Amino acid sequence: MSISMLNPCLSGPNPSLPAFTSHRIQLKRTVWLCSASQSHVAVVNVPVLDGKVPERSEIRLGLPSKGRMASDTLDLLKDCQLSVKQVNPRQYVAQIPQLANMEVWFQRPKDIVRKLVSGDLDLGIVGLDTVSEYGQGDEDLILVHDALEYGDCHLSLAIPKYGIFENVNSLNELAQMPQWTAKKPLRVATGFTYLGPKFMKENGLKYVTFSTADGALEAAPAMGIADAILDLVSSGTTLRENNLKEIEGGVVLKSQAVLVASRKSLIQRKGALDTTHEILERLEAHLRAVGQFTVTANMRGSSAEEVAERVLSQPSLSGLQGPTVSPVFCKRDGKVTSDYYAIVICVPKKALYKSVQQLRAIGGSGVLISPLTYIFDEETPRWRELLSKLGL
């Protein structure tokens, strides 16, 4: 079945994608209404003020309401000292006490993107795949942070390992198969009805039809419903267990959790930009500190410069910008002296033991190690990038 067959509201020609049977729903200015008993489309104009955000005093943040993405998002915010307080788990609205005038709304990821576009939300955390699929290139959507380091996956085309696809290992080989004609196109099962046709068109596949399938898409080729699937892949285990394979050039996009905002809200809504700045600073400081440790050791030396020279001679002891070297004062024979110096460096977890060995080798002792919670830069680069995108 094509997408137009699955939903009569989407029937009819689409001039922007003439070779495909999937359709894009424009969300900016109209609402499409359809009932199961009607085959026509009723278009209702929604009064949206051009260039202006809806009036309200609260700043609204949309968060995923269910699943792994939801729990990981709450964990990240908690690690940034931005715990979400929800009076009743059945309620869809909550607060972050550390952020004044902030409302948190729990929504389906695709609804978060749609409500950012409509102006009902100001900020949201979702996967990049969701932003790309349901945002459909809307210029009002702006990525504030594009790598929150969870929810990693990629949207990829997969085909069977058997039959006519046994020796097909690339998108180019798939496109050149003589089986695909106007009467018998390549059938792709997917939930990505915007990114799928766009990707195929950009890569020169002329004869393709898209369909949706109930349940797991991986079963569609074996059931004869589709020739291929376009779906999110994490480890690839499910594909392998269903005799499917990814192909070279078949990755549509790589995705992870991102912080996205409405451009108009950041510019026009009072307090929105300042709140976004604080959220971004907290996120950046926490994410930069993940996997980093502070290493402190004492070392005998004639001067701070001499000690620093010894430390910098070791490749794993340079830290973020160099070691901090300071005198350690003690009282001997009634006089204050500083025979020892304290060295403080920041070391990634993977280099931790090697760094301790190198410190010992140059005379370090009393080595103390503690995990880092935050690393605040003088100014986060992503903040400068955001201001540039906003023209500020």
Side-chain angles (χ1 to χ4, degrees):
M1 290 186 291
S2 69
I3 289 175
S4 60
M5 293 170 65
L6 287 166
N7 189 342
C9 287
L10 301 181
S11 299
N14 186 334
S16 64
L17 296 172
F20 303 96
T21 57
S22 65
H23 302 265
R24 174 179 175 178
I25 303 175
Q26 181 57 259
L27 297 175
K28 290 183 181 178
R29 295 289 182 266
T30 59
V31 175
W32 298 83
L33 304 176
C34 177
S35 66
S37 62
Q38 295 175 323
S39 60
H40 66 280
V41 178
V43 180
V44 180
N45 289 324
V46 178
V48 177
L49 298 176
D50 260 344
K52 294 186 178 180
V53 295
E55 290 187 10
R56 54 180 157 78
S57 59
E58 302 83 11
I59 300 164
R60 291 179 177 174
L61 169 66
L63 299 182
S65 56
K66 295 180 181 178
R68 179 69 180 272
M69 179 72 79
S71 59
D72 286 351
T73 300
L74 293 177
D75 288 343
L76 173 63
L77 292 174
K78 183 178 180 180
D79 290 338
C80 297
Q81 302 299 310
L82 294 174
S83 295
V84 177
K85 300 300 181 183
Q86 192 176 13
V87 177
N88 187 331
R90 293 181 179 273
Q91 290 180 335
Y92 287 96
V93 64
Q95 285 80 37
I96 298 178
Q98 290 80 5
L99 298 175
N101 215 31
M102 166 70 75
E103 284 185 350
V104 174
W105 287 83
F106 293 101
Q107 301 283 296
R108 295 183 303 176
K110 62 182 179 182
D111 289 336
I112 291 175
V113 177
R114 287 168 174 165
K115 289 175 182 178
L116 282 167
V117 173
S118 68
D120 295 310
L121 292 174
D122 305 305
L123 296 157
I125 295 180
V126 291
L128 180 60
D129 58 289
T130 306
V131 176
S132 302
E133 172 67 19
Y134 295 98
Q136 301 187 5
D138 193 292
E139 293 182 356
D140 187 53
L141 294 177
I142 185 168
L143 290 182
V144 178
H145 199 301
D146 60 354
L148 295 180
E149 298 184 11
Y150 67 96
D152 296 79
C153 60
H154 58 277
L155 180 60
S156 183
L157 188 68
I159 60 176
K161 296 179 179 179
Y162 48 85
I164 60 174
F165 300 102
E166 185 174 0
N167 297 316
V168 176
N169 296 300
S170 71
L171 186 64
N172 186 50
E173 291 173 353
L174 180 66
Q176 293 178 357
M177 291 179 68
Q179 285 88 345
W180 318 130
T181 64
K183 292 185 177 180
K184 189 181 179 183
L186 174 70
R187 300 170 301 158
V188 180
T190 187
F192 291 84
T193 56
Y194 169 73
L195 291 176
K198 182 174 180 288
F199 176 76
M200 293 298 191
K201 183 178 181 181
E202 289 173 351
N203 285 276
L205 279 83
K206 296 181 180 179
Y207 305 116
V208 183
T209 185
F210 290 85
S211 65
T212 58
D214 294 330
L217 291 180
E218 289 84 2
M223 296 178 67
I225 298 172
D227 302 303
I229 67 170
L230 183 67
D231 202 9
L232 293 175
V233 179
S234 295
S235 65
T237 301
T238 306
L239 291 180
R240 291 190 293 272
E241 290 178 347
N242 286 276
N243 290 316
L244 299 175
K245 62 182 178 181
E246 296 183 78
I247 55 177
E248 181 183 348
V251 175
V252 178
L253 62 78
K254 293 182 179 180
S255 180
Q256 62 177 299
V258 298
L259 174 63
V260 62
S262 161
R263 184 187 301 268
K264 290 195 292 288
S265 291
L266 293 182
I267 294 174
Q268 298 177 25
R269 192 174 304 289
K270 183 179 179 180
L273 191 58
D274 289 339
T275 298
T276 301
H277 188 197
E278 181 174 348
I279 294 173
L280 182 58
E281 289 251 85
R282 288 173 178 263
L283 289 171
E284 287 277 75
H286 167 68
L287 292 173
R288 192 174 183 200
V290 171
Q292 298 284 342
F293 289 79
T294 297
V295 178
T296 305
N298 290 335
M299 188 178 299
R300 189 184 293 273
S302 58
S303 68
E305 290 76 10
E306 184 267 330
V307 171
E309 189 173 340
R310 267 191 283 160
V311 173
L312 290 172
S313 69
Q314 303 299 314
S316 297
L317 303 181
S318 59
L320 294 176
Q321 296 172 322
T324 299
V325 181
S326 55
V328 176
F329 294 99
C330 62
K331 200 168 186 179
R332 185 178 295 118
D333 297 330
K335 295 182 179 180
V336 176
T337 62
S338 57
D339 297 332
Y340 282 86
Y341 290 84
I343 299 97
V344 181
I345 56 174
C346 181
V347 176
K349 185 177 182 179
K350 62 182 179 181
L352 189 57
Y353 184 66
K354 186 177 181 180
S355 299
V356 172
Q357 287 180 309
Q358 291 179 355
L359 273 173
R360 287 171 171 169
I362 59 174
S365 62
V367 181
L368 303 177
I369 298 171
S370 57
L372 280 170
T373 306
Y374 305 105
I375 300 176
F376 284 94
D377 282 321
E378 183 177 353
E379 185 179 70
T380 169
R382 281 189 172 89
W383 174 245
R384 293 194 296 269
E385 292 172 10
L386 177 61
L387 293 180
S388 177
K389 290 177 184 178
L390 295 173
L392 301 176

